[in-house]
Every structure is written in structure tokens, then in C-alpha cells.
Amino acid sequence: MALGQEIKSDKPQITNKGPVYPKKLIEKNATDQVHLMFDIDKTGHTANCQVTSSTNPEFNESALEHCRQQRYAPATINGVPTVNHHHRTIVNYSLDN
């Protein structure tokens, strides 16, 4: 099964299902690295997902959808949940041969 993998995250990730590898790109044996930036709200949901760079733009929508579905442990200040702005992560897409 072809899946992407999220790496380099500094917040504990609660949902850790990989992004969907676009079928048409599997057939092309395409690979990619998508850099994302987003906010994590007080409940751990992602918001304002955006691509900051990508080696193959055909993967961008898959990476953004993956971002929107992820859940994290929210940041806290003195034990009170707070919004974590400008969180960054990288989603890598590659096929196992």
C-alpha cells in the first residue's frame, strides 16, 4: 500500500494516519516532499493549513487534506490550552519497491 509519511513534528500527534497517495501519481511512480504550515487550536484541531513549499504540486491537495484531518495535543500555558500558531511539518511521499 502506498502511503505518505508525516515527519518533523514538534507537537504530540494524536491522529497519525498517513496521507492518501494520489492514484495517478502511484502509476507515475512520483515522489514528493510537501512543507506545510498550520495552526493548532485549543482543542487540538488544525486550522489554516497551507503549503509553504513542494517539490511536486500534484501532491499538494493530498497533503492539505491530510493536514486538515490531523489532531494534536494542544499547547498549554500554565495548564490552560492555547492556540499554537505557525506549526510546521513535512509530508514525504515515496513508494516502497
Side-chain angles (χ1 to χ4, degrees):
M1 175 184 275
L3 291 176
Q5 178 184 17
E6 183 174 7
I7 62 170
K8 295 185 180 177
S9 177
D10 65 352
K11 289 291 173 202
Q13 190 173 11
I14 296 170
T15 304
N16 195 14
K17 181 180 176 188
V20 175
Y21 208 108
K23 185 176 180 178
K24 69 180 182 178
L25 298 173
I26 291 172
E27 296 165 358
K28 293 179 182 180
N29 198 27
T31 62
D32 186 33
Q33 189 174 77
V34 181
H35 294 244
L36 299 170
M37 184 170 61
F38 54 96
D39 300 330
I40 301 171
D41 71 14
K42 294 178 182 182
T43 66
H45 291 81
T46 58
N48 306 317
C49 296
Q50 57 186 307
V51 173
T52 57
S53 69
S54 175
T55 57
N56 183 340
E58 292 183 86
F59 284 97
N60 290 0
E61 190 53 43
S62 171
L64 286 168
E65 184 59 31
H66 170 70
C67 177
R68 292 179 196 115
Q69 294 176 0
Q70 297 310 295
R71 301 296 174 260
Y72 292 82
T76 59
I77 297 176
N78 297 324
V80 178
T82 187
V83 176
N84 180 356
H85 294 282
H86 310 296
H87 181 75
R88 295 178 182 272
T89 194
I90 300 170
V91 179
N92 285 314
Y93 292 87
S94 64
L95 295 172
D96 295 331
N97 292 329

